[in-house]
């Protein structure tokens, strides 16, 4: 495929890193309710980032992650001790990388590679550093640097400027439909890593390509 | 309670009108999957309004309601025929009013009463007109008039200006935690109609009052 991609830019949670271990830990701490709690946790984490963006009321994603955890545990009728909170939050700092990721990124190592996440550096940096992906990326970009959450156009614009490329020179990968929609809305090329085989979001912003895992993006190498 | 409330402003869906009949209709059309489909439908309806607000990509709530329905049906492995779509959408135009609402509003009839919704007039007006609440409100305000969704501060500001009152002269009622958070963030007095006994949202914006149904707000009459 003929492309003019100068930067390969990756979302983090659910895209490069599997958040499943958080679900497992939830199950250990709250037997029988782990699935429900972690589902609500993730939903509220995303919702709170959106709501804070709309309300003009920014907090770091780390802080939002804690707030949404507390909500989720309370909603499902449990209590969150300080040690349980610590245990679950620490899990976010040592997620595992999806199976195919390391090999795909190795084949792209001559390209400009970056991660671009709603996560703040206090979450992102320890996570990447402890993983097999340390030293893989030219840049680790967090929206926290400008305090504007994806999918606001200004967030993607910041990443493009930091990478010193035009929007159409970026291929952006995410497993999150809303994130792909936001990137497409701004003007990036988009590859949706649709790990859960979900329908395309009803936002009238179709991803350029959809793959079941990250291997598919290798066709974007010139 | 000593207050200086000049306008009582109500959210619509879930606050005055029960959306349960939509769930029932979903169950008739998609036996065994109605609950799941309607849950995804409502979640995506709210998410798409948020995402479009953030992306600067406004569509009417009526249009979003259709887009999110299509997503929900597809996600749960069903097909949405044109007639099923019409049946479900029409249901939104004839929701029933919660039991206590009529009597509470009757006791407030000497006050300025308004509804203020993310719904567009093509949804709101037919719904209110066919209900026992027709002729109850001094104003039916839709965010569609300025194309800014709640919980953006500008949406609540528009409502206050249209009602010709100061923010602190408004008591705003909603069953949606995010909507109460947005109203509080802007500066309205807030009464959360917590029909589902949910925890307070983790957004650091505590409602002034929480009631299990609308009857509680009568204590705000001077």
């Amino acid at each position: 495929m003929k492309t003019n991609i100068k930067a390969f830019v990756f979302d983090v949670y659910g895209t490069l890193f599997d958040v499943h271990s958080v679900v497992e830990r939830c199950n250990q701490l709250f037997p029988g309710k782990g699935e429900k709690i972690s589902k609500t946790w993730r939903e509220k984490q995303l919702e709170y980032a959106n709501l804070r963006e709309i309300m003009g009321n920014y907090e770091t994603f780390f802080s939002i992650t804690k707030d949404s955890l507390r909500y989720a545990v309370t909603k499902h009728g449990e209590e969150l001790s300080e040690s349980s909170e610590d245990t679950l939050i620490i899990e976010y700092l040592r997620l595992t990388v999806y199976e195919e990721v390391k090999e795909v990124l190795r084949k792209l190592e001559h390209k400009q590679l970056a991660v671009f996440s709603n996560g703040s550096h206090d979450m992102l940096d320890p996570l990447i550093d402890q993983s097999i992906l340390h030293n893989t990326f030219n840049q680790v970009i967090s929206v926290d640097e400008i305090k504007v959450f994806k999918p606001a156009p200004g967030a993607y614009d910041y990443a493009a400027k930091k990478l010193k490329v035009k929007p159409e020179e970026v291929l952006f990968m995410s497993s999150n439909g809303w994130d792909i929609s936001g990137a497409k809305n701004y003007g990036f090329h988009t590859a949706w890593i649709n790990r859960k085989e979900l329908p395309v979001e009803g936002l009238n912003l179709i991803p350029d390509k959809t793959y079941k895992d990250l291997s598919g993006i290798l066709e974007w190498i010139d």
Side-chain angles (χ1 to χ4, degrees), chain A residues 8-213:
Chain A
F8 289 74
V9 182
F10 301 85
D11 175 55
V12 173
Y13 304 109
T15 304
L16 300 177
F17 290 86
D18 190 348
V19 297
H20 185 72
S21 61
V22 178
V23 182
E24 278 178 7
R25 187 68 72 181
C26 260
N27 259 323
Q28 284 168 15
L29 290 169
F30 306 107
K33 290 187 178 173
E35 291 279 343
K36 277 186 184 173
I37 288 173
S38 52
K39 189 164 183 288
T40 302
W41 185 10
R42 178 67 177 157
E43 282 167 4
K44 284 287 162 181
Q45 188 191 40
L46 298 174
E47 186 189 352
Y48 288 173
N50 285 340
L51 293 173
R52 286 187 173 278
E53 179 61 32
I54 295 171
M55 292 193 295
N57 209 343
Y58 183 86
E59 281 285 343
T60 68
F61 202 65
F62 204 8
S63 168
I64 285 175
T65 299
K66 290 177 188 170
D67 292 340
S68 49
L69 171 60
R70 268 177 234 121
Y71 179 95
V73 171
T74 307
K75 182 184 170 185
H76 296 290
E78 295 289 331
E79 283 196 32
L80 184 67
S81 68
E82 213 169 304
S83 78
S84 295
E85 178 176 312
D86 289 348
T87 304
L88 286 166
I89 293 293
I90 285 166
E91 206 58 52
Y92 251 96
L93 307 181
R94 55 182 196 194
L95 303 171
T96 53
V97 174
Y98 281 107
E99 201 179 0
E100 83 285 5
V101 170
K102 177 76 179 168
E103 180 62 12
V104 171
L105 294 182
R106 202 190 51 74
K107 290 179 181 159
L108 291 168
E109 67 189 358
H110 55 297
K111 298 286 187 181
Q112 186 174 197
L113 301 180
V115 305
F116 174 45
S117 170
N118 271 349
S120 33
H121 281 289
D122 50 1
M123 296 177 77
L124 285 180
D125 298 347
L127 173 65
I128 294 169
D129 286 349
Q130 63 81 47
S131 80
I132 54 169
L133 302 183
H134 67 102
N135 294 328
T136 299
F137 300 104
N138 302 98
Q139 291 202 47
V140 174
I141 307 171
S142 165
V143 302
D144 189 53
E145 295 160 26
I146 52 163
K147 304 191 188 310
V148 173
F149 282 120
K150 297 187 284 183
Y156 302 98
D157 190 55
Y158 172 72
K161 291 204 167 68
K162 203 160 175 199
L163 291 161
K164 299 194 170 96
V165 293
K166 295 176 195 158
E168 64 271 22
E169 293 169 339
V170 168
L171 179 64
F172 181 74
M173 274 66 60
S174 178
S175 63
N176 296 301
W178 60 266
D179 196 7
I180 287 294
S181 304
K184 179 80 185 172
N185 180 54
Y186 169 67
F188 284 168
H189 288 287
T190 50
W192 183 27
I193 312 306
N194 187 12
R195 298 185 185 278
K196 294 182 183 163
E197 298 184 38
L198 293 169
V200 175
E201 299 290 349
L203 293 163
N204 217 9
L205 291 160
I206 309 298
D208 295 318
K209 290 279 182 173
T210 301
Y211 306 113
K212 66 179 189 341
D213 65 33

